[in-house]
Amino acid sequence: MKKAVIFDLDGTLADTIASIAWCGNRALARFGLPSFSEAEYKRFVGDGAAMLVRRALLAAGDEALSHFDGVYQAYREIFSRDCMYQVKPYDGIVPLLAELKKRGIRIAVLSNKPDADSRRVVEELFGKGFFDHIQGQTEGIPRKPDPAGVYRILEAFGLRAEDFLYVGDSCVDMRTGKAAGLFTVGVLWGFRDRAELEENHADAVIGKPGELLSLLDLPRENMPQETEPSGAAALEETGGQET
């Protein structure tokens, strides 16, 4: 039995792409730069705010990144105010988390979003104290895919890598979980696709949040590459599609 689950935030627990695009486009507009669609922002995210701004500027044609300092400062200013714009949990996440807590499974968040913003989003969506640990990007801890943030959570919980599942939606998450030696689960409802998850060696890929439950009891060597929604059915009967 696994004893804890570490979740990525953006694209895994919460659909945040509208807020990211809203803030990014307003920052770009201050400097007369073009806007991008939410689909394009799904390719920009994953490596922290600074990298998001760099990717947006390159896509806008600013190959020298001459506007980086101004756009980055504007993005952080706007995001600190509007980071909850149209943010919501994905369908099935709330009942999944409730079931994990019911089973005594400890839950944590590890995000490349700045720590203060990570805490605000998680606590506004799920309530203060609902998660056992929230770890955003913090000075002194390298961002994902460096496994340092995972190690901090392992230490905080007093558990071993084999006691955890790591859950995320991108190559960054797959690399993070694998680097830390955790069984790493890719999700298909987030910002990236199956090919990216499999190319980055996801141990399992799931299509609905409730499917994670079927991975809790399996020994590592028997865990499948894609799970059946056996655990999801019960959740959906009790409101698995509610957010």
Side-chain angles (χ1 to χ4, degrees), residues 107-145:
I107 54 176
V109 172
L110 179 61
S111 176
N112 276 343
K113 189 189 294 291
D115 191 66
D117 295 330
S118 297
R119 292 178 184 278
R120 178 183 171 191
V121 171
V122 172
E123 291 176 357
E124 288 197 24
L125 288 180
F126 304 106
K128 191 174 181 65
F130 186 81
F131 275 83
D132 298 296
H133 189 95
I134 302 170
Q135 180 68 57
Q137 187 177 346
T138 306
E139 185 175 355
I141 301 178
R143 67 175 181 267
K144 299 183 295 183

Side-chain angles (χ1 to χ4, degrees), residues 11-240:
T12 301
L13 290 174
D15 186 354
T16 58
I17 200 65
S19 68
I20 293 168
W22 170 274
C23 297
N25 285 337
R26 274 147 189 78
L28 292 167
R30 288 190 183 181
F31 296 85
L33 296 169
S35 296
F36 297 97
S37 68
E38 291 182 7
E40 289 169 305
Y41 272 97
K42 287 182 178 181
R43 306 304 305 179
F44 297 161
V45 301
D47 294 286
M51 183 59 71
L52 179 145
V53 170
R54 289 189 177 94
R55 289 168 177 160
L57 287 174
L58 290 172
D62 183 4
E63 296 183 2
L65 300 176
S66 58
H67 292 94
F68 176 80
D69 289 343
V71 173
Y72 180 67
Q73 182 177 350
Y75 178 79
R76 293 296 303 124
E77 171 198 328
I78 297 166
F79 195 80
S80 66
R81 183 180 66 245
D82 295 330
C83 68
M84 291 302 299
Y85 176 77
Q86 295 187 357
V87 171
K88 60 182 179 180
Y90 284 103
D91 288 347
I93 286 294
V94 170
L96 168 64
L97 296 176
E99 181 64 21
L100 290 173
K101 291 176 75 70
K102 179 180 177 182
R103 297 187 185 195
I105 305 296
R106 303 177 75 179
I107 54 176
V109 172
L110 179 61
S111 176
N112 276 343
K113 189 189 294 291
D115 191 66
D117 295 330
S118 297
R119 292 178 184 278
R120 178 183 171 191
V121 171
V122 172
E123 291 176 357
E124 288 197 24
L125 288 180
F126 304 106
K128 191 174 181 65
F130 186 81
F131 275 83
D132 298 296
H133 189 95
I134 302 170
Q135 180 68 57
Q137 187 177 346
T138 306
E139 185 175 355
I141 301 178
R143 67 175 181 267
K144 299 183 295 183
D146 191 291
V150 174
Y151 295 148
R152 171 167 284 201
I153 295 171
L154 266 63
E155 182 180 1
F157 284 3
L159 297 173
R160 301 171 298 175
E162 55 263 38
D163 295 322
F164 284 79
L165 295 178
Y166 182 95
V167 184
D169 72 305
S170 73
C171 62
V172 172
D173 293 307
M174 300 306 98
R175 293 170 186 168
T176 303
K178 300 295 285 185
L182 276 59
F183 189 90
T184 303
V185 182
V187 306
L188 295 176
W189 58 82
F191 298 163
R192 304 295 173 81
D193 59 20
R194 176 185 291 276
E196 178 171 314
L197 300 172
E198 292 180 343
E199 287 168 4
N200 287 276
H201 311 294
D203 292 305
V205 177
I206 61 176
K208 295 181 180 180
E211 294 175 28
L212 189 71
L213 298 175
S214 63
L215 298 175
L216 294 174
D217 295 321
L218 295 177
R220 185 182 180 92
E221 62 270 22
N222 293 332
M223 287 197 174
Q225 288 301 304
E226 182 173 3
T227 66
E228 295 298 326
S230 56
L235 286 181
E236 291 175 356
E237 289 176 2
T238 58

